Amino acid sequence: KQEVTQIPAALSVPEGENLVLNCSFTDSAIYNLQWFRQDPGKGLTSLLLIQSSQREQTSGRLNASLDKSSGRSTLYIAASQPGDSATYLCAVTGGGNKLTFGTGTQLKVEL
Amino acid sequence: DAGITQSPRHKVTETGTPVTLRCHQTENHRYMYWYRQDPGHGLRLIHYSYGVKDTDKGEVSDGYSVSRSKTEDFLLTLESATSSQTSVYFCAIRAGTGGTEAFFGQGTRLTVV
């Protein structure tokens, strides 16, 4: 059974800092990995999708990397802003086209 | 929102009553999913569908059933609601280039009293 772990569970940083969120998964037989953002009381917003054949994807200040063989992904956020405060979730797609989620990292960026 | 609409957005119901949640998509995507989100457990898959009348169970399917009689609608039914089914329910589809990216609806907050 696929298990996805996200570390840390919570993170508080000052504005402007660069930060890294971590995601690990136990079964490397994945089709892709996706990072989401969730604001309180809201749905999930897709940030980045990395196919299993790719090593990284970038969107604006966000960069996600994937090392499938070691079961790890990182989400790098450059020059963090208070508007980046949210919960960040990673999810992997495995057999049956099903998504398995980690429990998320709650990020707070302070002024 | 990738054309996904969940209804209702909020519901309070009594223990033992049946409840149906609806997920509607506008773009004929093949894969649709129902998840529940609970503190400490994250998002867990209840059921999913890979086509009309083609559905399968996820990891927390007990007490739930689904139906997909048309491509655009995926219904989740709580056969006899219990307090443990109080949760936020999310519908998702596969879309984007190659149909590999997952997009989520805004969620339904269900309270069973």
Side-chain angles (χ1 to χ4, degrees):
Chain A
K1 178 188 171 186
Q2 177 75 272
E3 292 183 3
V4 180
T5 303
Q6 291 187 246
I7 294 173
L11 181 63
S12 182
V13 300
E15 182 180 14
E17 191 162 298
N18 301 325
L19 57 101
V20 174
L21 307 182
N22 297 291
C23 173
S24 61
F25 46 95
T26 55
D27 184 351
S28 62
I30 63 169
Y31 295 114
N32 59 53
L33 183 145
Q34 200 166 347
W35 283 94
F36 295 88
R37 168 187 173 134
Q38 187 176 31
D39 294 291
K42 303 293 185 183
L44 281 70
T45 300
S46 178
L47 297 174
L48 289 164
L49 171 72
I50 311 178
Q51 303 292 356
S52 61
S53 58
Q54 297 175 320
R55 298 284 290 183
E56 66 179 313
Q57 281 287 336
T58 298
S59 176
R61 294 184 293 109
L62 305 179
N63 176 276
S65 68
L66 174 63
D67 184 342
K68 199 174 81 158
S69 61
S70 68
R72 294 175 187 272
S73 176
T74 61
L75 179 66
Y76 175 83
I77 302 176
S80 58
Q81 303 170 358
D84 295 331
S85 298
T87 296
Y88 291 81
L89 297 156
C90 74
V92 297
T93 297
N97 229 351
K98 294 180 282 188
L99 275 166
T100 303
F101 280 85
T103 51
T105 293
Q106 189 172 358
L107 173 66
K108 183 175 181 181
V109 181
E110 298 174 319
L111 289 168
Chain B
D1 64 359
I4 306 169
T5 304
Q6 290 187 232
S7 58
R9 293 292 313 280
H10 302 271
K11 186 170 183 67
V12 179
T13 193
E14 293 186 349
T15 299
T17 61
V19 177
T20 295
L21 309 182
R22 180 183 184 231
C23 179
H24 178 78
Q25 57 145 328
T26 58
E27 298 183 9
N28 295 322
H29 296 293
R30 181 182 174 196
Y31 282 89
M32 300 183 76
Y33 307 81
W34 277 108
Y35 286 84
R36 60 178 290 175
Q37 186 175 35
D38 304 287
H41 291 281
L43 281 120
R44 294 178 292 174
L45 181 65
I46 305 171
H47 282 280
Y48 68 104
S49 170
Y50 44 95
V52 172
K53 297 196 169 126
D54 291 323
T55 65
D56 205 351
K57 296 179 180 180
E59 62 178 306
V60 290
S61 59
D62 288 348
Y64 301 95
S65 62
V66 289
S67 67
R68 194 166 177 200
S69 58
K70 356 182 227 182
T71 302
E72 58 266 36
D73 288 325
F74 192 32
L75 304 180
L76 176 71
T77 297
L78 287 65
E79 293 144 8
S80 177
T82 68
S83 57
S84 65
Q85 293 176 312
T86 291
S87 186
V88 181
Y89 291 85
F90 286 101
C91 173
I93 62 169
R94 291 274 182 193
T97 304
T100 57
E101 189 168 359
F103 294 92
F104 280 74
Q106 287 300 99
T108 294
R109 184 172 295 275
L110 177 68
T111 303
V112 183
V113 298

